[in-house]
Amino acid sequence: DVKVTQSSRYLVKRTGEKVFLECVQDMDHENMFWYRQDPGLGLRLIYFSYDVKMKEKGDIPEGYSVSREKKERFSLILESASTNQTSMYLCASSLIGRGSTDTQYFGPGTRLTVL
Amino acid sequence: GQNIDQPTEMTATEGAIVQINCTYQTSGFNGLFWYQQHAGEAPTFLSYNVLDGLEEKGRFSSFLSRSKGYSYLLLKELQMKDSASYLCAIPRKDSSYKLIFGSGTRLLVRP
């Protein structure tokens, strides 16, 4: 079974703090993703990485950066947290391939509150 | 462009059958995914359809009609634990690795 883990289930930070969210997958997947999920807005892609040190912006990258130094680990960084970044953050991974191998497997999520 | 529509909420009774619909607009179809997401938890993969027709997997079945841009998830013998959101997703045109998700259908199963 694919296992994707995230460093925290719940996190509370103050406005202006630098926040690190970590994600680790154990299935040697090439692709890793960061999403945020807000009521009524669904899952929105923040950043995507297809290989070590490679990244692509998603739909809402503003205010975020990412790091992928090792294949199994993908970090999301909020340089200066703001209240509008309060959300559920979900990490996912998938193989490079076509069809059903595009299936994304999700971590348990981090509920971040910025005060 | 690409777009996915799902009903926001549905209610059904324990033991019954419910059909959750998903309509999509895309070019260059590359399959459709269904995910289940319990409140406060991560989405988990349910099914993948790339050819027309019905695919059955236990109590859950998923149907696809590519010509109509339509899919549904059929849940039989509903159980209370099936209360969850059901997300429909399709690969993006610019990169099939990335998925576009619908907003999800929240299903409430009543006793």
Side-chain angles (χ1 to χ4, degrees):
Chain A
D1 273 357
V2 176
K3 189 147 187 182
V4 181
T5 57
Q6 294 182 229
S7 48
S8 308
R9 288 300 303 272
Y10 300 94
L11 210 50
V12 180
K13 296 291 182 181
R14 298 217 172 266
T15 302
E17 280 192 79
K18 191 167 187 175
V19 182
F20 293 87
L21 303 182
E22 299 262 302
C23 174
V24 178
Q25 50 94 5
D26 68 356
M27 284 302 291
D28 204 34
H29 283 174
E30 290 85 1
N31 298 328
M32 295 188 76
F33 308 81
W34 275 107
Y35 294 91
R36 63 178 283 178
Q37 187 174 33
D38 301 287
L41 296 177
L43 280 161
R44 293 182 292 169
L45 181 65
I46 304 171
Y47 264 99
F48 160 62
S49 170
Y50 53 92
D51 201 350
V52 174
K53 297 192 188 296
M54 306 306 288
K55 61 187 179 186
E56 280 183 18
K57 291 181 180 178
D59 300 317
I60 51 164
E62 297 78 21
Y64 303 95
S65 62
V66 290
S67 171
R68 191 154 179 212
E69 298 296 318
K70 292 185 178 180
K71 189 175 185 179
E72 67 272 16
R73 191 179 296 269
F74 191 33
S75 301
L76 180 70
I77 303 149
L78 287 66
E79 295 290 341
S80 177
S82 64
T83 54
N84 63 13
Q85 292 178 309
T86 291
S87 187
M88 170 71 99
Y89 289 88
L90 289 159
C91 174
S93 71
S94 72
L95 285 168
I96 283 185
R98 300 288 292 179
S100 61
T101 52
D102 293 329
T103 302
Q104 293 184 18
Y105 297 91
F106 286 84
T110 296
R111 186 164 293 282
L112 173 67
T113 302
V114 182
L115 302 175
Chain B
Q2 295 182 284
N3 193 41
I4 295 175
D5 286 307
Q6 301 180 241
T8 306
E9 283 188 359
M10 299 182 71
T11 303
T13 306
E14 193 176 15
I17 298 173
V18 72
Q19 178 176 310
I20 301 173
N21 296 325
C22 168
T23 56
Y24 63 89
Q25 294 85 42
T26 188
S27 56
F29 181 77
N30 276 316
L32 184 141
F33 296 84
W34 281 98
Y35 284 82
Q36 180 190 57
Q37 186 177 24
H38 286 99
E41 297 183 12
T44 55
F45 170 71
L46 286 177
S47 67
Y48 171 75
N49 293 69
V50 67
L51 298 176
D52 290 349
L54 187 69
E55 292 211 5
E56 299 188 53
K57 207 186 275 188
R59 293 189 301 113
F60 290 14
S61 303
S62 54
F63 172 85
L64 177 68
S65 168
R66 289 173 294 173
S67 62
K68 294 182 179 175
Y70 169 65
S71 174
Y72 66 74
L73 187 66
L74 194 69
L75 288 69
K76 301 177 190 172
E77 300 167 18
L78 278 173
Q79 302 176 9
M80 300 299 289
K81 68 179 182 179
D82 297 330
S83 291
S85 288
Y86 292 87
L87 310 177
C88 172
I90 57 174
R92 295 185 184 222
K93 279 192 304 186
D94 61 337
S95 165
S96 67
Y97 309 147
K98 301 179 200 170
L99 299 178
I100 293 176
F101 287 85
S103 297
T105 298
R106 190 163 60 201
L107 174 66
L108 176 63
V109 180
R110 296 186 186 277

